[in-house]
Amino acid sequence: MLLNSTPKLDLHGETVLMVGPLVNQFIYDNYLYGNKVVRIIHGKSTNILTKEVHNILKYNSYVESFNLNNWNLGETIVILKENKAWQVTIIYCII
């Protein structure tokens, strides 16, 4: 379920060259934080950023799956893989 608190990256105004580093760092940071779902806002005008974002996500090892948001085609919903180390850290801190 998407909430207002779901982490999001807004790429409006960014160039295609900047999208790679921004998306990869955003995905990596959220993977480390243990977030399972994130949103990437790329806009829906010419699909240049959309295609670049999807190409980057396709090869990112932390991404489990991704799809365009059915209600907003200018946004991609990304499901991240589980961070096992993060779970172990949380359990260790609780005990």
Side-chain angles (χ1 to χ4, degrees):
M1 175 180 216
L2 293 178
L3 304 171
N4 284 337
S5 61
T6 303
K8 63 184 171 200
L9 173 64
D10 191 342
L11 297 174
H12 282 104
E14 295 296 340
T15 64
V16 174
L17 293 174
M18 284 303 298
V19 168
L22 290 171
V23 169
N24 284 324
Q25 188 63 49
F26 177 70
I27 294 297
Y28 180 69
D29 289 346
N30 280 283
Y31 173 78
L32 289 180
Y33 292 142
N35 293 326
K36 184 70 175 156
V37 179
V38 296
R39 303 183 306 171
I40 299 176
I41 302 167
H42 40 67
K44 54 184 174 180
S45 60
T46 61
N47 285 331
I48 294 172
L49 288 182
T50 304
K51 290 175 185 175
E52 184 65 20
V53 166
H54 288 188
N55 190 44
I56 292 163
L57 293 174
K58 187 176 4 177
Y59 296 106
N60 191 302
S61 60
Y62 302 112
V63 173
E64 186 173 303
S65 65
F66 62 92
N67 289 312
L68 281 175
N69 184 344
N70 290 335
W71 302 104
N72 179 1
L73 297 178
E75 177 178 83
T76 295
I77 308 300
V78 183
I79 309 298
L80 302 178
K81 293 179 180 176
E82 268 188 73
N83 184 349
K84 305 285 186 193
W86 183 80
Q87 290 176 343
V88 170
T89 304
I90 295 299
I91 292 170
Y92 179 73
C93 291
I94 293 173
I95 295 175

